[in-house]
Amino acid sequence: MDAKTNARNLRRCFGRFTTGVTVVTYRSADGVRGATMNSFTSVSIDPPLVLISLARTSKTCAAIDGLPFAINVLRADQMDVALHFAGRPRPGTNIAWDVVDGEDPLSLSDAVAVLRCRPWQRYDGGDHVLQVAEVTASLIRDGEPLAFSDGRFTTLGLAMMDGPLVFSLDGPPVPGWAGAAYRLHHHAEAG
């Protein structure tokens, strides 16, 4: 395989890992800016650190160097917001901002989670820059997060292990809904 085929295959392999969708927001000399990203991960609880992976050639990579920023975890119905900050705005997209004091970065008021961050350390990551940041404040709101998998926006769907477990004498514990689904399916097949 040539390098282009390998890169395409590698991108598809990376895409098989379902991630959340975030918008990183920050203040620049041109005003409030943001970029949609799914390359985000927690790093440490003590100290509270997170990591975002920035394409070296992106405007955001240079713009947030040394600046505080907010990581906004998008809600399942915010695909239009994700597209807006990915450079594909849709007519009628409503961007609502939280009110913040001082130099804190603005954040999206409808995000299901917000992490306000200040730069900690930058590392070389090949064609990306790995920005580690210290979380200075965080908040959680109700709602299901938006997900991204196989090049598409999606939702998480039904939780597999939600609810109480049902114990049996001849097998491992299973979620209560699994037994109910099995009984419903079995009953439907029996006619």
Side-chain angles (χ1 to χ4, degrees), residues 52-56 61 122-131:
I52 56 175
S53 180
L54 303 155
R56 223 175 253 289
C61 184
R122 279 188 160 211
Y123 300 96
D124 178 20
D127 59 3
H128 280 63
V129 171
L130 307 178
Q131 175 67 64

Side-chain angles (χ1 to χ4, degrees), residues 138-174:
S138 61
L139 62 97
I140 298 172
R141 298 184 181 108
D142 290 336
E144 181 182 352
L146 181 62
F148 192 75
S149 182
D150 285 331
R152 296 183 304 254
F153 291 103
T154 186
T155 60
L156 299 177
L158 182 64
M160 293 287 293
M161 296 299 285
D162 202 16
L165 293 179
V166 175
F167 293 89
S168 72
L169 298 176
D170 59 349
V174 297

Side-chain angles (χ1 to χ4, degrees), residues 7 16-17 35 43 83 104-105 111 127-128 143 149 151 176 181:
R16 297 302 305 224
F17 183 70
V43 174
L83 290 171
D104 279 345
D127 59 3
H128 280 63
S149 182

Side-chain angles (χ1 to χ4, degrees), residues 41-51 115 120 132-135:
T41 190
S42 59
V43 174
S44 171
I45 296 293
D46 186 18
L49 301 175
V50 294
L51 178 143
L115 301 147
W120 177 273
V132 177
E134 182 179 12
V135 177

Side-chain angles (χ1 to χ4, degrees), residues 89-100:
R90 301 286 192 258
T93 299
N94 181 31
I95 307 298
W97 300 99
D98 285 325
V99 176
V100 294

